[in-house]
Amino acid sequence: MELLIMINACKIASASRVTAVIPCFPYARQDKKDKVGESRAPISAKLVANMLSVAGADHIITMDLHASQIQGFFDIPVDNLYAEPAVLQWIRENITEWRNCIIVSPDAGGAKRVTSIADRLNVEFALIHKERKKANEVDRMVLVGDVKDRVAILVDDMADTCGTICHAADKLLSAGATKVYAILTHGIFSGPAISRINNASFEAVVVTNTIPQEDKMKHCSKIQVIDISMILAEAIRRTHNGESVSYLFSHVPL
């Protein structure tokens, strides 16, 4: 709401262009009606898009949208930046045995993101497939791929209550992984997330600071932060000067 008011204030003060920089797009997960019993659910991401447009935003800069189709909810340009270059840099600098690692997606939806990272590092990838027998039964997780005697790196775009990644970590260790890291773009960490991470057997849980993490880091020593302020700053600079932003899709600004 504050953002909408600020956009509108700029607009009615005759600003020539208003760009909204939204590191973590709100309601991004509510982007469609699910077919199972959810046919009366809202599509909140579209509503947020409409509100931003009506308030007067001319351009949106955001990061790792939960579904990249959300860009199509807008009629104005959207730059969806990726944390991937920063993640690759972190892996190479902080995991000594990264050449013998395997990149793992905790659900089928993140397969594309994981294969992209695995290709850039020239390593293998694995997927974890969640099977829901009944709505209230515990999910059965099936690991597709061989993680034995390797460092497993779980990669996802966001972690909320961390149930999925903690389950996935247990699954990977029982399948013979030597260490498990988790790398996430948006660390929401609501509810029991912090206690789950503390009890889980991660070497580290790495998140970017699209959401401020100072308080969370005090309560959990495993959380490490990748600073993405440089990526946003460079995107803002390039947008303002009319330069190409696509360089940032594959490079970390120097």
Side-chain angles (χ1 to χ4, degrees), residues 1-248:
M1 199 65 212
E2 284 179 1
L3 174 64
L4 297 173
I5 292 167
M6 276 157 34
I7 290 170
N8 192 246
C10 294
K11 202 70 187 169
I12 60 177
S14 309
S16 65
R17 181 176 60 189
V18 181
T19 303
V21 182
I22 310 174
C24 183
F25 193 82
Y27 295 99
R29 282 184 290 185
Q30 192 64 50
D31 59 347
K32 59 182 181 291
K33 292 186 183 185
D34 288 326
K35 58 177 180 281
V36 188
E38 291 282 330
S39 56
R40 295 291 165 265
I43 303 178
S44 317
K46 173 69 176 164
L47 176 63
V48 171
N50 287 344
M51 285 159 65
L52 287 164
S53 299
V54 167
D58 300 303
H59 191 138
I60 307 289
I61 297 176
T62 184
M63 193 155 212
D64 269 354
L65 283 172
H66 187 64
S68 47
Q69 296 93 303
I70 292 174
Q71 293 171 85
F73 289 176
F74 291 91
D75 290 331
I76 55 176
V78 178
D79 282 320
N80 180 27
L81 302 170
Y82 299 106
E84 183 182 291
V87 166
L88 291 166
Q89 186 182 10
W90 190 92
I91 291 173
R92 289 193 181 108
E93 288 174 2
N94 295 280
I95 301 179
T96 48
E97 58 272 59
W98 65 267
R99 285 182 178 84
N100 185 38
C101 76
I102 184 162
I103 315 289
V104 188
S105 173
D107 57 13
K112 211 180 242 180
R113 184 180 291 106
V114 164
T115 48
S116 171
I117 290 174
D119 285 348
R120 298 277 298 276
L121 290 172
N122 198 20
V123 296
E124 300 278 306
F125 72 93
L127 302 175
I128 289 174
H129 167 63
K130 280 191 297 221
E131 233 174 40
R132 286 199 170 84
K133 291 287 181 200
K134 286 201 189 88
N136 56 359
E137 269 184 28
V138 179
D139 299 351
R140 195 164 75 92
M141 283 187 145
V142 184
L143 174 65
V144 184
D146 180 23
V147 298
K148 192 166 169 54
D149 301 326
R150 291 191 186 167
V151 175
I153 304 175
L154 279 164
V155 177
D156 208 355
D157 67 321
M158 64 168 71
D160 188 357
T161 57
C162 293
T164 306
I165 60 163
C166 291
H167 265 127
D170 296 341
K171 186 84 190 164
L172 290 167
L173 286 165
S174 63
T178 53
K179 292 179 183 172
V180 180
Y181 291 85
I183 305 184
L184 317 152
T185 306
H186 307 295
I188 300 166
F189 300 143
S190 63
I194 296 297
S195 63
R196 279 177 178 168
I197 293 172
N198 283 326
N199 296 329
S201 34
F202 292 110
E203 291 292 310
V205 174
V206 185
V207 291
T208 69
N209 56 350
T210 53
I211 297 169
Q213 300 294 348
E214 285 77 17
D215 291 347
K216 304 285 192 294
M217 289 167 79
K218 286 177 192 152
H219 299 115
C220 180
S221 57
K222 290 180 187 174
I223 295 177
Q224 296 184 30
V225 171
I226 298 173
D227 182 28
I228 50 93
S229 58
M230 277 300 297
I231 298 177
L232 289 171
E234 184 65 8
I236 292 167
R237 190 193 68 74
R238 283 171 179 256
T239 301
H240 183 70
N241 295 334
E243 297 171 27
S244 167
V245 177
S246 52
Y247 173 83
L248 296 174

